Amino acid sequence: MIQNIEKLNTVLTHVKDTFVGKNDVVDLLGICLLARENAFLYGPPGTAKSAIVRTLAKTVKDGKNFEYLLTRFTEPNEIFGPFDIRKLKEGELLTNTEGMMPEASMVFLDEIFNANSAILNSLLMALNEKIFKRGKETKHLPALMFVGASNVLPEDEALNALFDRFLIRINVDYVNPELLQQVLLAGRKLENDTETDIPEILSDEIRELQNLCKTVDLKPIYEVYLNTIISLRNTGIAISDRRAVKLQNLIAASALICGRNEAILSDLWVLKHIWDTEEQIEILEGIINRTIEKDDNPKSHPQALQNKTPNPEEVMKDVKILVEKWNNETLSFEEQNVIKDKLRYLQTRCDWIKNPEQKQYIQQEIESLWQKILQSV
């Protein structure tokens, strides 16, 4: 089993080396693969969303990859396969799934929110229960993981159920300008396809790890996890009971990928990525960082230690925006709470600023805004 974990980590390292500056994206996809949960990639075009998934899929030696760009006019046949003509003549309605989604081990659906009502119900069942149902047919899907992608978040309420099926939401942005040169070189290498030695893992080896994931002991973090879910719900982040149950798989996957059979506090880092809106990204990061920073276990997941050192100018700019909002607008109770949450988050970010003078200056500005907030209560 340890050998399989090493294999998976080698595969993930290969994908990280191929896509510079995307370590967080690859690590989260690795967690979802291990937990057999679905991932959603959110970001502008040209941020290598499909290329990352394609490269990861290539490493599954005996796997079949299914990739499709959805439009509003996509029909079920294009995803699940057409009806089998030979069987149709015999009066049987059976789907010919060869080369289609029901036979794939890795599924990538681009522009997922273009899904229309004709395929929505079948898609929901496939994502949630890994089952394909059409008429009398019922087929268990071999999919190790589904990945959806879009450059917009759903606005239509009918699509909320679809969004809810993706447990982890990954923000994929353009890389930091400092890494651009490395990106250009890596991109050129990828286009020339000079890479011949690709590390591999078998789909059965991944399935063994997925089963092992279910045996990870979560008792050490159970109480903190419970309190965190309650705290997040109180902050206005909707976490259904179903999602709360499934999120435990991701915590277990974080432990397993680090070679542990029990969870530690820092494994809760995965909860930073359960947002529904862009506004929640910062709020979640603040709350979860405060929870996991107490853990100094050397076997923590690399992403748990990835408290990105903030840019003091960016933090100051964000504080100024909050000051203006508080001063200039008639705010509802909910809007006031959002400002307070963002301010708490910036306070946490401020602790990580290395320059003591800049840190002190920003802390004074934050403190000054807190005083105004307290006076208006």
Side-chain angles (χ1 to χ4, degrees):
M1 259 339 149
I2 291 168
Q3 190 185 359
N4 289 352
I5 292 168
E6 283 172 3
K7 268 191 177 184
L8 181 58
N9 276 318
T10 305
V11 158
L12 295 177
T13 302
H14 161 72
V15 183
K16 286 183 211 175
D17 291 345
T18 310
F19 297 93
V20 176
K22 300 281 193 246
N23 285 9
D24 53 342
V25 179
V26 179
D27 277 331
L28 284 160
L29 287 174
I31 292 287
C32 287
L33 183 58
L34 202 46
R36 206 186 179 203
E37 295 294 351
N38 309 322
F40 170 70
L41 304 178
Y42 172 62
T47 47
K49 297 189 290 294
S50 52
I52 293 171
V53 178
R54 211 173 292 136
T55 304
L56 181 59
K58 268 187 200 168
T59 64
V60 183
K61 189 179 179 182
D62 57 341
K64 295 176 184 172
N65 189 26
F66 181 81
E67 187 179 321
Y68 208 81
L69 174 67
L70 294 177
T71 71
R72 280 176 301 163
F73 308 106
T74 302
E75 294 181 1
N77 292 357
E78 297 171 58
I79 304 281
F80 304 107
F83 285 115
D84 191 321
I85 302 295
R86 287 165 304 178
K87 295 284 183 188
L88 202 56
K89 286 176 183 170
E90 295 164 20
E92 275 190 274
L93 271 181
L94 283 176
T95 308
N96 178 7
T97 57
E98 193 178 338
M100 307 306 275
M101 191 187 89
E103 292 191 5
S105 48
M106 293 283 272
V107 180
F108 178 63
L109 299 171
D110 205 358
E111 298 305 336
I112 184 89
F113 299 126
N114 283 336
N116 55 50
S117 54
I119 59 172
L120 205 52
N121 285 343
S122 299
L123 210 48
L124 287 173
M125 184 167 269
L127 288 166
N128 197 39
E129 294 159 47
K130 308 291 187 287
I131 286 174
F132 165 56
K133 203 167 169 48
R134 197 185 207 181
K136 289 179 182 174
E137 280 183 278
T138 300
K139 185 179 171 114
H140 285 273
L141 303 179
L144 300 165
M145 173 171 68
F146 286 86
V147 182
S150 176
N151 51 19
V152 293
L153 293 175
E155 289 176 8
D156 184 353
E157 279 200 11
L159 295 169
N160 283 348
L162 182 60
F163 191 34
D164 196 55
R165 295 300 190 275
F166 292 94
L167 201 56
I168 280 279
R169 287 83 192 264
I170 308 172
N171 197 19
V172 190
D173 214 338
Y174 299 116
V175 298
N176 191 313
E178 293 163 18
L179 296 172
L180 195 54
Q181 188 182 353
Q182 286 171 259
V183 170
L184 298 177
L185 293 170
R188 186 103 173 125
K189 186 177 166 190
L190 191 65
E191 282 196 348
N192 294 336
D193 206 21
T194 52
E195 186 70 66
T196 48
D197 192 22
I198 296 175
E200 291 172 336
I201 187 166
L202 294 169
S203 47
D204 274 349
E205 289 171 332
I206 294 173
R207 284 192 188 95
E208 281 175 23
L209 288 175
Q210 288 176 340
N211 288 329
L212 189 63
C213 198
K214 294 169 188 168
T215 67
V216 171
D217 184 10
L218 298 181
K219 280 198 229 50
I221 55 95
Y222 201 74
E223 196 178 333
V224 180
Y225 174 64
L226 202 59
N227 291 335
T228 305
I229 293 295
I230 292 165
S231 164
L232 292 176
R233 282 176 172 176
N234 290 341
T235 310
I237 294 166
I239 301 168
S240 65
D241 291 351
R242 179 166 64 87
R243 282 175 74 79
V245 170
K246 280 178 164 285
L247 286 168
Q248 296 175 105
N249 298 339
L250 300 173
I251 296 165
S254 171
L256 188 59
I257 212 158
C258 296
R260 289 181 276 106
N261 59 7
E262 67 171 28
I264 56 175
L265 197 56
S266 62
D267 290 322
L268 295 176
W269 71 273
V270 293
L271 301 181
K272 293 184 199 179
H273 303 279
I274 59 170
W275 44 268
D276 292 321
T277 63
E278 285 189 73
E279 290 76 30
Q280 289 176 359
I281 296 175
E282 286 189 349
I283 294 166
L284 272 165
E285 192 153 320
I287 292 170
I288 302 305
N289 277 349
R290 280 202 298 277
T291 305
I292 65 175
E293 68 188 4
K294 304 175 187 99
D295 190 350
D296 55 2
N297 192 307
K299 279 192 149 187
S300 289
H301 191 286
Q303 288 299 330
L305 310 168
Q306 208 62 25
N307 260 319
K308 300 173 189 75
T309 307
N311 178 337
E313 287 167 19
E314 291 288 323
V315 176
M316 192 62 225
K317 194 167 80 180
D318 289 342
V319 173
K320 292 266 190 246
I321 290 169
L322 293 184
V323 170
E324 277 174 34
K325 277 190 175 175
W326 191 268
N327 289 344
N328 300 343
E329 295 177 23
T330 312
L331 299 164
S332 68
F333 182 65
E334 285 79 11
E335 286 167 332
Q336 286 183 357
N337 279 342
V338 168
I339 288 178
K340 287 177 194 172
D341 281 328
K342 286 192 173 176
L343 194 57
R344 282 189 203 101
Y345 168 74
L346 292 174
Q347 211 161 9
T348 307
R349 302 291 284 143
C350 198
D351 290 340
W352 296 87
I353 292 172
K354 288 177 179 162
N355 183 310
E357 287 158 18
Q358 289 175 319
K359 182 175 177 176
Q360 190 183 0
Y361 179 66
I362 297 170
Q363 280 173 334
Q364 283 170 348
E365 292 292 314
I366 291 173
E367 191 52 45
S368 164
L369 181 52
W370 273 126
Q371 290 304 324
K372 283 182 186 169
I373 291 170
L374 289 169
Q375 283 161 15
S376 64
V377 172

